[in-house]
Amino acid sequence: MTRRTPQPRDRGIPDATVARLPLYLRALNGLAERGTATVSSEDLAVAAGVNSAKLRKDLSHLGSYGTRGVGYDVQYLIYQISRELGLTQDWAIAIVGVGNLGRALANYGGFVSRGFRVAALVDADPEVVGDRIAGLVVEHIDDLEAVIKRRGVSIVVLATPAPAAQQVCDRVIDAGVTSILNFAPVVLSVPENVDVRKVDLSIELQILAFHEQRKAEREGAASEDGWTEMDMLSGRVMSGREQTGHEKSGLGEAPRRATR
């Protein structure tokens, strides 16, 4: 098997558009599963979580403009996006680092349906090497370059501890791989021709924590403002009640005329 290498995009599709194409594809696959034949740009935009103008502009880079009054053909648009993303061919993946995360990725069943095939598992731990996971035998890190060549690996997933990530990355690149998905909590140094996508769960959680904190602060401020207004209102009501009470008790009344 010859190793497939990613082909450069020659139509000048912006990186931001490329980043959104998988969102459109996921939404389209969901529509297809429900038996939807055509979809409007507005409905597809809602399903993908973007605005419809941006969606139409993104799809125009693929040469897809839909049909006025009808919308987009779901199956054809799935094909167009899949072709543009390179998902119409079989991409072999090697997972390096078969700890808890690596095992979970190896057992994930969604890769195959999206054009990816886990072809190799590699680890440095002698107690892990030789284990069979998801139908694959874990191979030793010493054989990394040979495994990449023998399995026709195009993309490597790094799930190693941080201290080992850069060294493994260098070996992967030397073996000819130019696409890396990095789960290790470290920034990798790579040549310009190498594409690295970093997935750092701790950073994503920290970002969510930031937004949670801001929401809590806003709710707290709103609560304080609400109590202040209520206190002021309560004070005005009480003053009115006290005044009414005084009037009823005669404290604020004019002297009554004496009767004989």
Side-chain angles (χ1 to χ4, degrees):
M1 178 185 296
T2 58
R3 188 173 64 84
R4 300 179 189 272
T5 55
Q7 298 299 314
R9 298 190 303 272
D10 57 3
R11 281 191 278 176
I13 299 179
D15 288 341
T17 295
V18 174
R20 288 188 290 268
L21 291 181
L23 302 179
Y24 304 149
L25 185 59
R26 180 176 61 188
L28 287 164
N29 282 325
L31 292 169
E33 290 173 1
R34 294 193 292 273
T36 303
T38 59
V39 61
S40 67
S41 59
E42 289 78 10
D43 289 343
L44 181 55
V46 170
V50 302
N51 67 66
S52 57
K54 182 176 294 183
L55 179 140
R56 286 191 294 270
K57 184 175 181 180
D58 286 342
L59 296 183
S60 70
H61 289 293
L62 279 63
S64 182
Y65 298 92
T67 303
R68 184 178 296 275
V70 177
Y72 295 93
D73 183 287
V74 170
Q75 290 295 342
Y76 182 64
L77 193 52
I78 287 175
Y79 167 74
Q80 281 187 299
I81 295 177
S82 297
R83 181 185 60 188
E84 194 62 43
L85 290 174
L87 304 183
T88 55
Q89 41 188 323
D90 180 38
W91 298 101
I93 301 172
I95 299 174
V96 182
V98 194
N100 291 334
L101 176 59
R103 288 173 182 266
L105 293 171
N107 284 295
Y108 175 57
F111 287 133
V112 175
S113 62
R114 290 166 173 80
F116 304 98
R117 173 176 52 87
V118 179
L121 303 175
V122 183
D123 202 280
D125 188 350
E127 295 186 3
V128 175
V129 174
D131 287 355
R132 182 173 288 275
I133 301 172
L136 294 171
V137 174
V138 179
E139 303 184 72
H140 198 278
I141 191 68
D142 289 348
D143 300 324
L144 177 60
E145 291 82 0
V147 169
I148 288 174
K149 183 176 181 179
R150 184 172 67 251
R151 303 286 184 178
V153 171
S154 299
I155 301 172
V156 166
V157 177
L158 289 184
T160 66
Q166 185 63 59
Q167 182 182 8
V168 173
C169 176
D170 292 341
R171 292 179 60 188
V172 164
I173 294 171
D174 289 342
V177 174
T178 58
S179 296
I180 299 171
L181 181 61
N182 179 32
F183 281 91
V186 63
V187 177
L188 299 173
S189 177
V190 301
E192 290 185 359
N193 67 317
V194 175
D195 294 312
V196 176
R197 299 291 297 181
K198 181 172 175 55
V199 181
D200 193 323
L201 299 180
S202 64
I203 288 178
E204 300 303 324
L205 289 171
Q206 288 166 14
I207 293 172
L208 288 174
F210 168 85
H211 291 297
E212 280 298 309
Q213 178 174 269
R214 290 298 179 271
K215 285 186 285 187
E217 289 174 353
R218 287 196 296 270
E219 290 171 359
S223 178
E224 289 178 3
D225 291 343
W227 278 109
T228 301
E229 292 175 1
M230 286 299 294
D231 289 342
M232 293 174 64
L233 179 60
S234 178
R236 289 197 296 269
V237 171
M238 183 60 70
S239 297
R241 287 175 178 171
E242 289 173 353
Q243 183 177 358
T244 303
H246 291 165
E247 290 174 352
K248 287 183 178 180
S249 64
L251 295 177
E253 296 177 354
R256 294 180 180 177
R257 180 177 298 178
T259 58
R260 292 181 180 177

